[in-house]
Amino acid sequence: WHWTDETQRTFEEIIDIASPEVIEMIQAFKKFVGANDMMAYLTMMCIRLLELKRVLKDTGSIYLHCDPTASHYLKIVMDTVFGAANHRNEIIWQRINAKGNVQRKFGAVHDVILAYAKKLGNEKWNQLYRPLNEKYVNNMYTHIEEGTGRRYRLGDLTAPASRASQGQIYDWKGYQSGKSRVWVYAKEKMQELEDAGRIVYSKTGYPNFKRYLDENLGEKLPDIWTDIMPALGGESLGYPTQKPLALLERIIEASSNKGDIVLDPFCGCG
């Protein structure tokens, strides 16, 4: 991207069609950044993001991939166009493991994915999980249930009293929920757990919840992704910024359902 007459016309079009907030933002950027290659790129992105916001459903989300060269600028553009309140995540995608030709700085191995909702609270969301850490499993799930062989750990059945309802304050098997801690469940639910064999009592008679390993869906996926490598082998088409299918699948699975419409406006799949 270079600052050309066409870029100037695009910049002027933004001034003509955008909201006062966007106009103020893009003018401030030009004053700060200057009429250079970076500003040409931000101008190109801004007018496209305005159109993407226009066509995005209220239940939709948008993910913008970039590298650290422009991610800080683009986050301000996204905050202004989509609203800072609709920011969901800044995802760090570690796309390679190491860089050998690095001198006098740390190796740059990650890109950034900025995720925004069109209307926070209305967006579709499917929680994704990753497998539990093996060391965590071995340290925490130390019990084996007789008869079934199911692994489990013992969990706390109390919660902070600051967010409690009256139904969580009662006596259970001689233990009374106090001022600082109350029972997690109402008494009826505690009885259901008792009848189902899900409560294990310590030597002193204190209740603990039996949490089975096979019922654990895994760890909720965090905003640092280290398990997706670039498009390699037969998947690679030689396109420098091609997105691996695993990355696209993760984003689509998280923010849409079967039958939904998904737009890839920059053909990132190659």
Side-chain angles (χ1 to χ4, degrees):
W1 292 273
H2 304 288
W3 192 269
T4 63
D5 291 341
E6 183 180 352
T7 311
Q8 180 63 37
R9 287 192 295 270
T10 302
F11 181 87
E12 293 169 357
E13 184 179 350
I14 294 172
I15 304 302
D16 289 339
I17 67 171
S19 67
E21 295 81 10
V22 173
I23 294 171
E24 184 178 1
M25 177 271 298
I26 202 70
Q27 287 177 329
F29 263 145
K30 188 179 180 184
K31 184 176 180 180
F32 172 71
V33 177
N36 54 24
D37 294 351
M38 177 60 74
M39 190 62 213
Y41 171 71
L42 295 174
T43 301
M44 180 276 297
M45 288 298 301
C46 181
I47 198 162
R48 283 158 176 75
L49 289 169
L50 289 170
E51 284 299 293
L52 293 173
K53 181 186 179 185
R54 182 181 66 80
V55 301
L56 189 62
K57 285 187 175 182
D58 284 350
T59 55
S61 300
I62 180 168
Y63 291 77
L64 189 153
H65 165 266
C66 52
D67 67 24
T69 306
S71 60
H72 51 304
Y73 295 129
L74 288 170
K75 190 172 184 181
I76 294 174
V77 175
M78 295 284 281
D79 278 350
T80 309
V81 172
F82 286 90
N86 291 313
H87 174 253
R88 296 296 311 279
N89 282 111
E90 179 178 272
I91 299 162
I92 301 301
W93 171 36
Q94 182 182 327
R95 54 185 174 78
I96 56 176
N97 287 323
K99 249 185 173 178
N101 60 344
V102 177
Q103 294 184 0
R104 301 184 66 83
K105 67 174 185 177
F106 298 110
V109 299
H110 84 276
D111 282 354
V112 176
I113 301 172
L114 301 172
Y116 284 74
K118 173 68 175 287
K119 190 174 181 181
L120 193 65
N122 280 26
E123 75 280 4
K124 294 182 181 180
W125 177 250
N126 303 308
Q127 182 64 58
L128 302 183
Y129 299 85
R130 66 182 183 185
L132 293 173
N133 180 276
E134 185 177 355
K135 184 177 180 180
Y136 171 82
V137 170
N138 292 333
N139 288 340
M140 298 300 295
Y141 289 87
T142 57
H143 303 279
I144 306 294
E145 186 176 66
E146 291 186 18
T148 67
R150 298 173 73 186
R151 292 182 67 171
Y152 68 92
R153 68 180 181 89
L154 298 179
D156 192 4
L157 277 167
T158 66
S162 58
R163 298 191 296 270
S165 66
Q166 191 62 37
Q168 293 173 264
I169 303 172
Y170 54 88
D171 177 81
W172 181 262
K173 308 292 185 181
Y175 284 90
Q176 174 70 46
S177 50
K179 293 182 179 180
S180 61
R181 305 287 296 181
V182 297
W183 301 115
V184 173
Y185 303 108
K187 198 168 187 177
E188 295 77 12
K189 178 63 176 179
M190 285 282 276
Q191 189 59 57
E192 290 180 16
L193 295 175
E194 167 88 349
D195 296 341
R198 296 299 296 263
I199 297 181
V200 177
Y201 294 93
S202 69
K203 292 180 180 180
T204 61
Y206 192 80
N208 294 280
F209 183 48
K210 184 185 288 187
R211 299 184 183 275
Y212 290 110
L213 175 60
D214 57 25
E215 292 179 349
N216 193 320
L217 296 175
E219 178 188 357
K220 288 185 177 181
L221 193 67
D223 61 3
I224 298 179
W225 298 352
T226 61
D227 58 336
I228 297 178
M229 290 292 101
L232 301 171
E235 185 183 332
S236 175
L237 303 175
Y239 185 60
T241 58
Q242 179 184 346
K243 306 303 177 293
L245 291 175
L247 183 70
L248 300 176
E249 288 169 354
R250 176 170 292 176
I251 290 171
I252 291 170
E253 186 180 358
S255 291
S256 64
N257 297 325
K258 187 176 181 179
D260 288 345
I261 295 174
V262 178
L263 172 65
D264 181 0
F266 285 86
C267 300
C269 63

